[in-house]
Amino acid sequence: MSKPIVRFAPSPTGRIHIGNARQALMNALFARREKGVFVLRFDDTDLERSKREYADSIEVDLAWLGIPPDVVVRQSERVEFYDEAADRLRAVGRLYPCYETSEELEFRRKRQLARGLPPVYDRAALKLTEEERAKLEAEGRRPHWRFRLDHRTVAWTDLVRGDCHVDCGSLSDPVLVREDGTYLYTLPSIVDDVDLKISHVIRGEDHVTNTAVQIQIFEALGAHLPLFGHINLLTTASGEGLSKRLGHLSLTSLREAGLEPQAVASLAVLVGTAESVRPVADLDELASLIDFAHISRAPAKFDEHELDQLNARLIHEMPYEAARSRLAALDSDGGEAFWLAVRGNLTRVADAVHWWAVVRGPVTPVIEDKAFIEAAAKVLPDAPWDSATWKTWTEAVKAATGVKGKALFMPLRLALTGLDHGPELAALLPLIGPDRVKARLSGQAA
Ligand code: GLU
Protein backbone atom coordinates (compact mmCIF):
# COMPACT_ATOMS: atom_id res chain seq x y z
CA MET A 1 0.00 0.00 0.00
CA SER A 2 1.33 3.46 -0.77
CA LYS A 3 1.31 5.78 2.21
CA PRO A 4 -2.24 6.64 3.20
CA ILE A 5 -3.47 10.21 3.42
CA VAL A 6 -6.47 10.51 5.71
CA ARG A 7 -8.50 13.31 7.18
CA PHE A 8 -10.63 14.21 10.13
CA ALA A 9 -13.17 16.81 9.01
CA PRO A 10 -15.11 18.39 11.85
CA SER A 11 -17.28 21.43 11.38
CA PRO A 12 -16.11 23.89 14.04
CA THR A 13 -19.59 24.58 15.35
CA GLY A 14 -19.02 23.27 18.85
CA ARG A 15 -16.59 21.38 21.00
CA ILE A 16 -15.85 17.87 19.81
CA HIS A 17 -17.04 14.92 21.89
CA ILE A 18 -15.70 11.45 22.41
CA GLY A 19 -17.55 10.16 19.33
CA ASN A 20 -15.75 12.72 17.17
CA ALA A 21 -12.52 11.76 18.92
CA ARG A 22 -13.15 8.17 17.85
CA GLN A 23 -13.20 9.25 14.19
CA ALA A 24 -10.13 11.43 14.67
CA LEU A 25 -8.18 8.67 16.42
CA MET A 26 -9.10 5.98 13.89
CA ASN A 27 -7.75 8.22 11.14
CA ALA A 28 -4.72 9.58 12.94
CA LEU A 29 -3.56 6.27 14.41
CA PHE A 30 -4.02 4.48 11.11
CA ALA A 31 -1.86 7.16 9.45
CA ARG A 32 0.69 6.89 12.25
CA ARG A 33 0.95 3.13 11.90
CA GLU A 34 1.24 3.24 8.11
CA LYS A 35 3.58 6.26 8.13
CA GLY A 36 0.98 8.26 6.24
CA VAL A 37 -0.36 11.79 6.60
CA PHE A 38 -3.12 12.97 8.92
CA VAL A 39 -5.01 16.02 7.69
CA LEU A 40 -7.28 18.12 9.89
CA ARG A 41 -9.88 19.75 7.67
CA PHE A 42 -12.24 22.29 9.11
CA ASP A 43 -15.62 22.09 7.36
CA ASP A 44 -16.37 25.72 8.03
CA THR A 45 -18.39 26.76 4.98
CA ASP A 46 -21.30 27.61 7.27
CA LEU A 47 -19.91 30.98 8.26
CA GLU A 48 -22.65 31.72 10.73
CA ARG A 49 -22.31 28.63 12.86
CA SER A 50 -18.56 28.03 12.48
CA LYS A 51 -16.35 29.74 15.04
CA ARG A 52 -12.61 30.15 15.12
CA GLU A 53 -12.58 29.50 18.86
CA TYR A 54 -14.12 26.07 18.27
CA ALA A 55 -11.55 25.30 15.58
CA ASP A 56 -8.77 26.30 17.97
CA SER A 57 -10.21 24.17 20.76
CA ILE A 58 -10.36 21.18 18.41
CA GLU A 59 -6.64 21.59 17.72
CA VAL A 60 -5.97 21.74 21.45
CA ASP A 61 -8.05 18.60 21.97
CA LEU A 62 -6.21 16.67 19.25
CA ALA A 63 -2.82 17.72 20.65
CA TRP A 64 -3.97 16.60 24.09
CA LEU A 65 -4.94 13.19 22.69
CA GLY A 66 -1.43 12.97 21.22
CA ILE A 67 -2.56 13.18 17.58
CA PRO A 68 -1.69 16.68 16.30
CA PRO A 69 -2.41 16.90 12.56
CA ASP A 70 0.33 16.98 9.93
CA VAL A 71 -1.66 19.43 7.81
CA VAL A 72 -4.54 21.81 8.61
CA VAL A 73 -6.92 23.16 5.95
CA ARG A 74 -9.96 25.40 6.25
CA GLN A 75 -12.72 25.17 3.69
CA SER A 76 -13.55 28.84 4.18
CA GLU A 77 -10.21 29.62 2.50
CA ARG A 78 -10.78 27.37 -0.50
CA VAL A 79 -14.03 28.62 -2.01
CA GLU A 80 -12.46 29.34 -5.41
CA PHE A 81 -11.82 25.61 -5.87
CA TYR A 82 -15.46 24.80 -5.11
CA ASP A 83 -16.60 27.46 -7.59
CA GLU A 84 -14.42 25.90 -10.23
CA ALA A 85 -15.82 22.40 -9.57
CA ALA A 86 -19.39 23.71 -9.55
CA ASP A 87 -18.77 25.35 -12.93
CA ARG A 88 -17.49 22.07 -14.32
CA LEU A 89 -20.61 20.27 -13.12
CA ARG A 90 -22.81 22.98 -14.66
CA ALA A 91 -20.94 22.68 -17.93
CA VAL A 92 -21.73 18.95 -18.16
CA GLY A 93 -25.35 19.45 -17.14
CA ARG A 94 -25.08 17.79 -13.73
CA LEU A 95 -25.75 20.90 -11.64
CA TYR A 96 -29.05 22.64 -12.28
CA PRO A 97 -30.73 25.71 -10.84
CA CYS A 98 -33.86 25.35 -8.74
CA TYR A 99 -36.13 28.15 -7.59
CA GLU A 100 -38.47 26.54 -5.10
CA THR A 101 -38.71 28.20 -1.73
CA SER A 102 -38.45 26.02 1.35
CA GLU A 103 -42.19 26.49 1.93
CA GLU A 104 -42.95 25.19 -1.56
CA LEU A 105 -40.68 22.21 -1.05
CA GLU A 106 -42.25 21.47 2.31
CA PHE A 107 -45.73 21.64 0.80
CA ARG A 108 -44.77 19.17 -1.95
CA ARG A 109 -43.15 16.87 0.57
CA LYS A 110 -46.30 16.74 2.66
CA ARG A 111 -48.41 16.08 -0.39
CA GLN A 112 -46.16 13.20 -1.46
CA LEU A 113 -46.26 11.71 2.02
CA ALA A 114 -50.03 12.04 2.16
CA ARG A 115 -50.23 10.05 -1.07
CA GLY A 116 -47.92 7.40 0.33
CA LEU A 117 -45.08 8.43 -2.00
CA PRO A 118 -41.46 8.81 -0.92
CA PRO A 119 -40.67 12.51 -0.30
CA VAL A 120 -38.19 12.78 -3.13
CA TYR A 121 -37.53 15.99 -5.05
CA ASP A 122 -39.58 15.79 -8.26
CA ARG A 123 -37.07 17.60 -10.50
CA ALA A 124 -39.67 20.18 -11.49
CA ALA A 125 -36.85 22.70 -11.97
CA LEU A 126 -35.33 20.58 -14.74
CA LYS A 127 -38.46 21.17 -16.79
CA LEU A 128 -38.36 24.95 -16.58
CA THR A 129 -37.95 26.75 -19.90
CA GLU A 130 -35.52 29.62 -20.41
CA GLU A 131 -38.42 32.07 -20.25
CA GLU A 132 -39.79 30.63 -17.02
CA ARG A 133 -36.38 30.85 -15.46
CA ALA A 134 -35.89 34.41 -16.63
CA LYS A 135 -39.26 35.31 -15.19
CA LEU A 136 -38.42 33.82 -11.80
CA GLU A 137 -35.11 35.67 -11.79
CA ALA A 138 -36.89 38.88 -12.74
CA GLU A 139 -39.15 38.34 -9.72
CA GLY A 140 -35.98 38.41 -7.65
CA ARG A 141 -35.68 34.67 -7.02
CA ARG A 142 -32.14 33.38 -6.66
CA PRO A 143 -31.51 29.74 -7.54
CA HIS A 144 -30.06 27.03 -5.35
CA TRP A 145 -28.30 24.30 -7.26
CA ARG A 146 -28.90 20.57 -7.25
CA PHE A 147 -26.73 17.75 -8.51
CA ARG A 148 -28.56 15.55 -10.98
CA LEU A 149 -28.11 12.01 -9.72
CA ASP A 150 -28.02 9.04 -12.02
CA HIS A 151 -30.83 6.78 -10.93
CA ARG A 152 -28.71 3.72 -10.43
CA THR A 153 -27.29 1.65 -7.64
CA VAL A 154 -23.88 2.73 -6.43
CA ALA A 155 -21.70 -0.01 -4.95
CA TRP A 156 -18.38 0.02 -3.14
CA THR A 157 -16.36 -2.22 -0.88
CA ASP A 158 -16.33 -0.57 2.48
CA LEU A 159 -13.28 -1.03 4.71
CA VAL A 160 -15.59 -1.62 7.67
CA ARG A 161 -18.90 -2.81 6.25
CA GLY A 162 -17.75 -4.82 3.25
CA ASP A 163 -20.03 -4.75 0.18
CA CYS A 164 -22.28 -1.69 0.24
CA HIS A 165 -25.04 -0.79 -2.22
CA VAL A 166 -27.18 2.30 -2.25
CA ASP A 167 -30.02 2.77 -4.72
CA CYS A 168 -29.73 6.40 -5.82
CA GLY A 169 -33.05 6.07 -7.62
CA SER A 170 -34.78 6.65 -4.31
CA LEU A 171 -32.82 9.78 -3.35
CA SER A 172 -33.51 13.45 -3.94
CA ASP A 173 -31.00 15.29 -6.07
CA PRO A 174 -28.81 16.87 -3.40
CA VAL A 175 -28.51 20.63 -3.08
CA LEU A 176 -24.83 21.53 -3.43
CA VAL A 177 -25.03 25.33 -3.56
CA ARG A 178 -27.35 27.51 -1.51
CA GLU A 179 -29.29 30.47 -2.78
CA ASP A 180 -26.67 32.86 -1.44
CA GLY A 181 -23.93 31.02 -3.34
CA THR A 182 -22.46 29.29 -0.29
CA TYR A 183 -21.76 25.58 -0.34
CA LEU A 184 -23.27 22.78 1.66
CA TYR A 185 -20.87 20.12 2.92
CA THR A 186 -21.14 17.66 0.01
CA LEU A 187 -19.19 19.27 -2.84
CA PRO A 188 -16.38 20.98 -0.88
CA SER A 189 -15.67 17.68 0.85
CA ILE A 190 -15.13 15.95 -2.50
CA VAL A 191 -13.08 18.77 -3.98
CA ASP A 192 -10.79 18.71 -0.95
CA ASP A 193 -10.55 14.93 -0.87
CA VAL A 194 -9.45 15.03 -4.51
CA ASP A 195 -7.07 17.97 -4.10
CA LEU A 196 -5.42 16.64 -0.97
CA LYS A 197 -5.19 13.15 -2.51
CA ILE A 198 -7.07 11.57 0.37
CA SER A 199 -6.62 7.83 -0.01
CA HIS A 200 -9.01 6.62 2.71
CA VAL A 201 -12.18 8.41 3.79
CA ILE A 202 -12.82 7.02 7.26
CA ARG A 203 -15.88 8.55 8.89
CA GLY A 204 -19.07 7.83 10.79
CA GLU A 205 -21.68 5.47 9.44
CA ASP A 206 -24.15 8.36 9.31
CA HIS A 207 -22.39 9.16 6.01
CA VAL A 208 -23.14 5.90 4.16
CA THR A 209 -25.84 7.43 1.94
CA ASN A 210 -23.70 10.51 1.37
CA THR A 211 -20.97 8.26 0.10
CA ALA A 212 -23.15 6.93 -2.70
CA VAL A 213 -24.01 10.49 -3.73
CA GLN A 214 -20.42 11.61 -3.40
CA ILE A 215 -19.17 8.71 -5.50
CA GLN A 216 -21.39 9.94 -8.33
CA ILE A 217 -19.94 13.44 -7.94
CA PHE A 218 -16.34 12.17 -7.86
CA GLU A 219 -17.12 10.36 -11.09
CA ALA A 220 -18.80 13.38 -12.66
CA LEU A 221 -15.63 15.36 -11.92
CA GLY A 222 -13.52 12.61 -13.47
CA ALA A 223 -11.73 12.04 -10.17
CA HIS A 224 -10.15 8.91 -8.78
CA LEU A 225 -12.15 7.39 -5.89
CA PRO A 226 -10.68 7.03 -2.41
CA LEU A 227 -11.45 3.97 -0.31
CA PHE A 228 -14.31 4.43 2.16
CA GLY A 229 -14.76 3.11 5.66
CA HIS A 230 -17.82 3.84 7.79
CA ILE A 231 -17.34 3.40 11.48
CA ASN A 232 -20.16 2.74 13.94
CA LEU A 233 -21.21 5.69 16.04
CA LEU A 234 -20.92 6.05 19.79
CA THR A 235 -24.01 6.58 21.88
CA THR A 236 -24.46 7.41 25.53
CA ALA A 237 -24.95 4.51 27.95
CA SER A 238 -28.70 4.93 27.52
CA GLY A 239 -28.40 4.73 23.74
CA GLU A 240 -28.82 8.38 22.74
CA GLY A 241 -26.64 9.78 19.96
CA LEU A 242 -23.88 12.14 21.05
CA SER A 243 -24.33 15.73 20.03
CA LYS A 244 -21.77 18.49 19.69
CA ARG A 245 -24.51 21.01 20.14
CA LEU A 246 -25.59 19.56 23.47
CA GLY A 247 -21.96 19.55 24.60
CA HIS A 248 -22.10 15.80 25.30
CA LEU A 249 -18.92 14.57 26.91
CA SER A 250 -16.76 17.15 25.22
CA LEU A 251 -13.06 16.35 25.21
CA THR A 252 -12.50 19.69 26.86
CA SER A 253 -14.70 18.68 29.78
CA LEU A 254 -13.01 15.28 30.08
CA ARG A 255 -9.61 16.97 30.09
CA GLU A 256 -10.74 19.50 32.67
CA ALA A 257 -12.11 16.67 34.80
CA GLY A 258 -8.52 15.40 34.99
CA LEU A 259 -8.87 12.30 32.83
CA GLU A 260 -5.81 10.90 31.12
CA PRO A 261 -5.81 11.27 27.33
CA GLN A 262 -4.77 7.63 27.01
CA ALA A 263 -7.87 6.53 28.93
CA VAL A 264 -10.09 8.54 26.61
CA ALA A 265 -8.21 7.29 23.53
CA SER A 266 -8.29 3.65 24.64
CA LEU A 267 -12.02 3.70 25.16
CA ALA A 268 -12.74 5.75 22.02
CA VAL A 269 -10.74 3.37 19.83
CA LEU A 270 -11.49 -0.02 21.38
CA VAL A 271 -15.18 0.17 22.30
CA GLY A 272 -17.39 -1.54 19.73
CA THR A 273 -14.52 -3.46 18.12
CA ALA A 274 -13.28 -7.03 18.38
CA GLU A 275 -10.70 -5.93 20.98
CA SER A 276 -11.45 -5.91 24.68
CA VAL A 277 -11.59 -2.43 26.15
CA ARG A 278 -8.46 -1.98 28.23
CA PRO A 279 -6.07 0.84 29.02
CA VAL A 280 -3.33 1.17 26.42
CA ALA A 281 -0.83 3.83 27.44
CA ASP A 282 1.19 3.76 24.23
CA LEU A 283 -0.35 5.22 21.05
CA ASP A 284 1.73 2.99 18.77
CA GLU A 285 0.33 -0.03 20.55
CA LEU A 286 -3.19 1.38 20.31
CA ALA A 287 -2.62 2.01 16.58
CA SER A 288 -1.57 -1.61 16.13
CA LEU A 289 -4.99 -2.71 17.46
CA ILE A 290 -7.02 -0.86 14.82
CA ASP A 291 -8.61 -3.25 12.39
CA PHE A 292 -11.34 -1.71 10.25
CA ALA A 293 -12.68 -5.08 9.18
CA HIS A 294 -13.51 -5.99 12.78
CA ILE A 295 -15.42 -2.96 13.93
CA SER A 296 -18.91 -3.85 15.02
CA ARG A 297 -21.85 -2.67 12.95
CA ALA A 298 -24.02 -1.91 15.93
CA PRO A 299 -23.65 1.47 17.63
CA ALA A 300 -21.17 1.31 20.49
CA LYS A 301 -22.23 2.43 23.94
CA PHE A 302 -19.97 4.78 25.72
CA ASP A 303 -20.02 4.52 29.48
CA GLU A 304 -18.45 7.30 31.53
CA HIS A 305 -18.01 4.95 34.44
CA GLU A 306 -15.83 2.74 32.25
CA LEU A 307 -13.69 5.77 31.51
CA ASP A 308 -13.03 6.25 35.23
CA GLN A 309 -12.04 2.63 35.57
CA LEU A 310 -9.65 2.83 32.62
CA ASN A 311 -8.22 6.00 34.05
CA ALA A 312 -7.63 4.38 37.41
CA ARG A 313 -5.96 1.37 35.80
CA LEU A 314 -3.62 3.63 33.85
CA ILE A 315 -2.68 5.55 36.97
CA HIS A 316 -2.07 2.42 38.97
CA GLU A 317 0.71 1.60 36.48
CA MET A 318 1.92 5.13 35.81
CA PRO A 319 5.67 5.57 36.41
CA TYR A 320 6.79 8.42 38.66
CA GLU A 321 8.54 10.16 35.76
CA ALA A 322 5.21 10.51 33.95
CA ALA A 323 3.47 11.88 37.03
CA ARG A 324 6.22 14.09 38.40
CA SER A 325 5.62 17.43 36.68
CA ARG A 326 1.89 17.11 37.20
CA LEU A 327 2.36 16.43 40.90
CA ALA A 328 4.66 19.45 41.07
CA ALA A 329 2.00 21.60 39.41
CA LEU A 330 -0.41 20.43 42.11
CA ASP A 331 2.19 21.25 44.77
CA SER A 332 2.16 17.60 45.75
CA ASP A 333 5.38 16.13 44.43
CA GLY A 334 6.36 13.94 47.34
CA GLY A 335 9.00 12.07 45.35
CA GLU A 336 8.97 8.60 43.87
CA ALA A 337 8.31 6.78 47.16
CA PHE A 338 5.23 8.91 47.73
CA TRP A 339 3.92 8.32 44.20
CA LEU A 340 4.44 4.57 44.40
CA ALA A 341 2.74 4.52 47.81
CA VAL A 342 -0.41 6.29 46.67
CA ARG A 343 -0.95 5.68 42.95
CA GLY A 344 -2.88 2.46 43.62
CA ASN A 345 -5.48 4.50 45.52
CA LEU A 346 -6.06 7.10 42.82
CA THR A 347 -8.64 7.42 40.08
CA ARG A 348 -7.19 10.71 38.82
CA VAL A 349 -3.73 12.16 39.28
CA ALA A 350 -5.18 15.14 41.12
CA ASP A 351 -6.44 12.82 43.87
CA ALA A 352 -2.79 12.62 44.99
CA VAL A 353 -3.22 16.07 46.53
CA HIS A 354 -5.40 14.52 49.18
CA TRP A 355 -2.79 11.92 50.18
CA TRP A 356 0.02 14.45 50.13
CA ALA A 357 -2.01 16.47 52.63
CA VAL A 358 -2.31 13.34 54.77
CA VAL A 359 1.46 12.84 54.67
CA ARG A 360 2.40 16.46 55.31
CA GLY A 361 -0.38 17.27 57.74
CA PRO A 362 -1.75 18.75 59.69
CA VAL A 363 -3.90 15.70 60.30
CA THR A 364 -6.28 15.57 63.24
CA PRO A 365 -5.73 12.10 64.67
CA VAL A 366 -8.71 9.95 65.58
CA ILE A 367 -7.96 8.12 68.82
CA GLU A 368 -10.59 5.94 70.46
CA ASP A 369 -8.48 3.81 72.79
CA LYS A 370 -5.93 6.20 74.25
CA ALA A 371 -4.14 3.53 76.29
CA PHE A 372 -3.58 1.31 73.27
CA ILE A 373 -2.15 4.17 71.21
CA GLU A 374 0.14 5.21 74.07
CA ALA A 375 1.40 1.65 74.32
CA ALA A 376 2.04 1.61 70.57
CA ALA A 377 3.89 4.94 70.71
CA LYS A 378 6.23 3.52 73.37
CA VAL A 379 7.51 0.79 71.03
CA LEU A 380 8.08 2.93 67.93
CA PRO A 381 11.39 1.89 66.33
CA ASP A 382 14.27 4.35 66.25
CA ALA A 383 14.95 6.34 63.09
CA PRO A 384 16.00 6.01 60.29
CA TRP A 385 12.77 4.47 59.01
CA ASP A 386 12.28 2.46 55.87
CA SER A 387 9.69 0.19 54.30
CA ALA A 388 10.35 -2.53 56.90
CA THR A 389 9.68 -0.24 59.87
CA TRP A 390 5.92 -0.77 59.84
CA LYS A 391 6.35 -4.52 60.22
CA THR A 392 8.91 -4.17 63.00
CA TRP A 393 6.66 -1.72 64.81
CA THR A 394 3.39 -3.64 64.52
CA GLU A 395 5.09 -6.84 65.72
CA ALA A 396 6.35 -4.94 68.72
CA VAL A 397 2.85 -3.50 69.37
CA LYS A 398 1.36 -6.96 69.14
CA ALA A 399 3.93 -8.35 71.56
CA ALA A 400 3.31 -5.48 74.01
CA THR A 401 -0.51 -5.45 73.90
CA GLY A 402 -1.61 -8.87 72.63
CA VAL A 403 -3.79 -7.10 70.05
CA LYS A 404 -3.59 -8.29 66.44
CA GLY A 405 -5.20 -8.09 63.00
CA LYS A 406 -7.69 -5.35 62.23
CA ALA A 407 -8.01 -4.43 65.91
CA LEU A 408 -4.35 -3.48 65.78
CA PHE A 409 -4.11 -1.85 62.32
CA MET A 410 -7.29 0.21 62.28
CA PRO A 411 -6.65 2.26 65.46
CA LEU A 412 -3.13 2.98 64.19
CA ARG A 413 -4.43 4.03 60.77
CA LEU A 414 -7.05 6.30 62.38
CA ALA A 415 -4.46 7.86 64.65
CA LEU A 416 -1.89 8.40 61.89
CA THR A 417 -4.13 9.51 59.03
CA GLY A 418 -7.47 10.46 60.57
CA LEU A 419 -9.06 8.06 58.03
CA ASP A 420 -10.24 4.47 58.01
CA HIS A 421 -8.91 3.74 54.52
CA GLY A 422 -5.93 4.59 52.36
CA PRO A 423 -2.61 3.44 50.96
CA GLU A 424 -0.47 0.81 52.68
CA LEU A 425 0.75 2.11 56.00
CA ALA A 426 4.11 0.39 55.47
CA ALA A 427 4.71 2.89 52.65
CA LEU A 428 3.12 5.90 54.38
CA LEU A 429 4.87 5.53 57.73
CA PRO A 430 8.37 6.55 56.59
CA LEU A 431 6.86 9.36 54.48
CA ILE A 432 4.99 10.79 57.47
CA GLY A 433 8.21 10.43 59.45
CA PRO A 434 9.00 10.07 63.17
CA ASP A 435 8.19 13.63 64.29
CA ARG A 436 4.69 13.78 62.85
CA VAL A 437 3.98 10.17 63.79
CA LYS A 438 4.91 10.84 67.43
CA ALA A 439 2.83 14.00 67.52
CA ARG A 440 -0.23 12.31 65.98
CA LEU A 441 0.04 9.36 68.35
CA SER A 442 0.03 11.81 71.25
CA GLY A 443 -3.23 13.28 69.94
CA GLN A 444 -1.86 16.48 68.42
CA ALA A 445 -2.85 17.73 64.97
CA ALA A 446 0.45 17.54 63.05
N1 GLU B 1 -17.99 17.70 8.49
C1 GLU B 1 -18.49 16.37 8.24
C2 GLU B 1 -19.01 15.79 9.53
O1 GLU B 1 -18.57 16.23 10.58
C3 GLU B 1 -17.37 15.52 7.69
C4 GLU B 1 -17.79 14.23 7.15
C5 GLU B 1 -16.66 13.58 6.40
O2 GLU B 1 -15.75 13.06 7.06
O3 GLU B 1 -16.66 13.61 5.18
O4 GLU B 1 -19.87 14.96 9.53
Side-chain angles (χ1 to χ4, degrees), residues 7 9-11 41 43 185 189 203 207:
R7 85 296 193 282
S11 47
R41 185 186 86 201
D43 287 1
Y185 147 79
S189 179
R203 58 186 171 191
H207 285 284

Side-chain angles (χ1 to χ4, degrees), residues 49-126:
R49 291 178 56 226
S50 301
K51 298 238 162 17
R52 182 65 189 225
E53 82 189 71
Y54 290 133
D56 292 346
S57 82
I58 290 170
E59 290 204 59
V60 171
D61 288 342
L62 296 185
W64 177 69
L65 283 174
I67 52 167
D70 301 309
V71 178
V72 179
V73 294
R74 292 172 211 279
Q75 292 195 322
S76 54
E77 293 168 0
R78 298 174 47 79
V79 175
E80 65 204 278
F81 300 107
Y82 314 143
D83 289 343
E84 194 257 337
D87 284 342
R88 280 168 57 204
L89 293 176
R90 283 187 191 99
V92 294
R94 295 298 294 273
L95 193 62
Y96 63 96
C98 302
Y99 295 86
E100 293 90 348
T101 62
S102 38
E103 294 75 31
E104 283 163 357
L105 290 172
E106 188 50 30
F107 176 74
R108 276 189 219 172
R109 235 176 63 84
K110 287 207 179 115
R111 203 173 49 191
Q112 285 169 316
L113 287 172
R115 291 188 186 152
L117 298 170
V120 175
Y121 177 60
D122 61 7
R123 294 187 161 172
L126 268 182

Side-chain angles (χ1 to χ4, degrees), residues 154-156 190 210-220 225 228:
V154 171
W156 72 94
I190 297 161
N210 266 341
T211 293
V213 168
Q214 291 189 332
I215 285 176
Q216 286 208 16
I217 304 176
F218 273 98
E219 289 173 353
L225 287 181
F228 292 94

Side-chain angles (χ1 to χ4, degrees), residues 166-419:
V166 174
D167 174 12
C168 291
S170 59
L171 302 179
S172 293
D173 288 341
V175 177
L176 302 190
V177 191
R178 297 187 187 91
E179 231 173 75
D180 63 2
T182 61
Y183 292 89
L184 283 106
Y185 147 79
T186 311
L187 181 64
S189 179
I190 297 161
V191 171
D192 292 341
D193 287 344
V194 174
D195 241 31
L196 296 163
K197 301 189 170 53
I198 300 300
S199 58
H200 297 65
V201 170
I202 296 157
R203 58 186 171 191
E205 69 181 359
D206 49 336
H207 285 284
V208 168
T209 307
N210 266 341
T211 293
V213 168
Q214 291 189 332
I215 285 176
Q216 286 208 16
I217 304 176
F218 273 98
E219 289 173 353
L221 291 169
H224 186 72
L225 287 181
L227 295 171
F228 292 94
H230 294 90
I231 293 177
N232 58 356
L233 299 180
L234 293 192
T235 67
T236 62
S238 57
E240 290 165 76
L242 300 179
S243 143
K244 229 190 279 177
R245 196 168 42 81
L246 298 177
H248 266 135
L249 306 162
S250 73
L251 287 200
T252 311
S253 68
L254 297 175
R255 179 171 70 241
E256 285 169 357
L259 286 161
E260 299 302 307
Q262 295 96 329
V264 176
S266 300
L267 186 56
V269 168
L270 299 177
V271 69
T273 71
E275 293 292 329
S276 62
V277 174
R278 57 191 188 274
V280 180
D282 179 60
L283 285 183
D284 287 321
E285 189 185 337
L286 193 58
S288 75
L289 300 175
I290 291 181
D291 178 359
F292 296 127
H294 288 97
I295 292 177
S296 148
R297 291 209 179 188
K301 282 198 174 154
F302 166 79
D303 180 354
E304 260 178 290
H305 180 62
E306 201 169 2
L307 196 51
D308 273 333
Q309 286 175 343
L310 287 173
N311 207 69
R313 285 168 66 191
L314 275 169
I315 292 180
H316 298 171
E317 302 290 316
M318 185 182 281
Y320 173 60
E321 277 315 312
R324 181 186 200 153
S325 62
R326 295 173 52 196
L327 293 171
L330 295 164
D331 220 2
S332 298
D333 180 8
E336 185 163 16
F338 167 70
W339 176 248
L340 297 181
V342 302
R343 67 179 183 180
N345 287 69
L346 310 180
T347 302
R348 305 189 182 190
V349 170
D351 300 343
V353 169
H354 172 69
W355 295 114
W356 186 233
V358 167
V359 168
R360 299 309 301 253
V363 160
T364 305
V366 173
I367 296 175
E368 278 156 11
D369 181 346
K370 206 157 167 253
F372 172 73
I373 295 296
E374 271 170 15
K378 282 210 186 90
V379 294
L380 264 177
D382 292 332
W385 286 358
D386 59 25
S387 57
T389 306
W390 171 253
K391 188 158 186 278
T392 315
W393 182 34
T394 50
E395 271 167 10
V397 176
K398 185 171 151 192
T401 63
V403 179
K404 58 185 179 182
K406 192 169 176 209
L408 184 153
F409 302 128
M410 190 52 80
L412 294 181
R413 182 179 282 286
L414 285 166
L416 294 178
T417 67
L419 300 167

